[in-house]
Amino acid sequence: MDYNQNNQYGQVSGQQGYPYFQPNQNPQYNQPQPQPYPPYQQPAPYLDPNIPVGQPVGQPQYGNYPQQPVYSSGFVQNGPIYTAAPVLRSAEGMRFPVQIQCPYCNQQGITRIENRVGDGTICASILVLLFCWPLFWLPCCLEDCKDRVHLCIHCQKCVGKKKYEIC
């Protein structure tokens, strides 16, 4: 074999190594180029021509609310929906802020909650002290283990309490 001729592996004679790859020499290895994806088009929503779009007339209304006016198109005019929250005189036994009418200043407002250490918190600390003494302080730091005191936002007087109960 001549020095400049290629051997059966495509190498020049006298050189060692792996056979090298020459692209596109054999047509059976030509792979088709991947085509780019077409841009995504969101399908149009299906609208049944037999069903009118909007709020239908004749829906049951709950509560003592005035009937909305009906127009000739057969649809009800959309507008704000007002719901009245019950106004309580006391927040006794409530866990979350509630709307009250303060018995001291007769103002309406949502109560402000303060969490305070109470009898249930102390009992929980004693139980934790007996079973796992390094964590006896934990109930005094957790808000869920404290009594909840509701205060009026106007006069800052106590209008209700929810005591913490173990179990």
Side-chain angles (χ1 to χ4, degrees):
M1 229 186 235
D2 189 20
Y3 182 77
N4 292 331
Q5 284 184 334
N6 293 344
N7 62 12
Q8 66 182 0
Y9 296 110
Q11 295 175 333
V12 178
S13 300
Q15 293 182 349
Q16 294 180 353
Y18 295 102
Y20 64 91
F21 176 73
Q22 294 181 355
N24 297 332
Q25 280 187 346
N26 198 345
Q28 69 183 13
Y29 292 116
N30 285 341
Q31 298 290 331
Q33 295 296 326
Q35 298 296 323
Y37 290 109
Y40 178 73
Q41 294 178 353
Q42 188 168 359
Y46 173 74
L47 296 176
D48 189 350
N50 298 326
I51 299 175
V53 178
Q55 184 178 1
V57 177
Q59 285 286 351
Q61 291 200 359
Y62 302 101
N64 294 327
Y65 301 110
Q67 186 74 19
Q68 293 181 343
V70 178
Y71 295 98
S72 63
S73 66
F75 295 102
V76 176
Q77 178 184 9
N78 290 332
I81 298 173
Y82 298 103
T83 58
V87 179
L88 305 174
R89 293 286 294 168
S90 171
E92 197 67 37
M94 299 292 181
R95 185 174 172 92
F96 299 104
V98 293
Q99 184 169 358
I100 63 156
Q101 182 172 357
C102 179
Y104 303 105
C105 65
N106 287 326
Q107 297 279 334
Q108 283 190 6
I110 297 177
T111 59
R112 182 174 61 91
I113 292 184
E114 261 185 29
N115 294 313
R116 297 181 182 165
V117 174
D119 295 338
T121 310
I122 301 298
C123 289
S125 292
I126 292 171
L127 285 174
V128 173
L129 178 69
L130 294 175
F131 294 110
C132 186
W133 68 268
L135 298 176
F136 75 94
W137 52 270
L138 198 59
C140 295
C141 297
L142 297 174
E143 290 183 5
D144 287 338
C145 294
K146 295 181 180 179
D147 294 347
R148 294 180 186 242
V149 179
H150 291 265
L151 302 173
C152 174
I153 59 172
H154 301 288
C155 64
Q156 305 303 317
K157 292 195 178 182
C158 178
V159 292
K161 290 182 182 178
K162 168 72 170 131
K163 291 194 166 277
Y164 171 69
E165 299 170 354
I166 305 172
C167 300

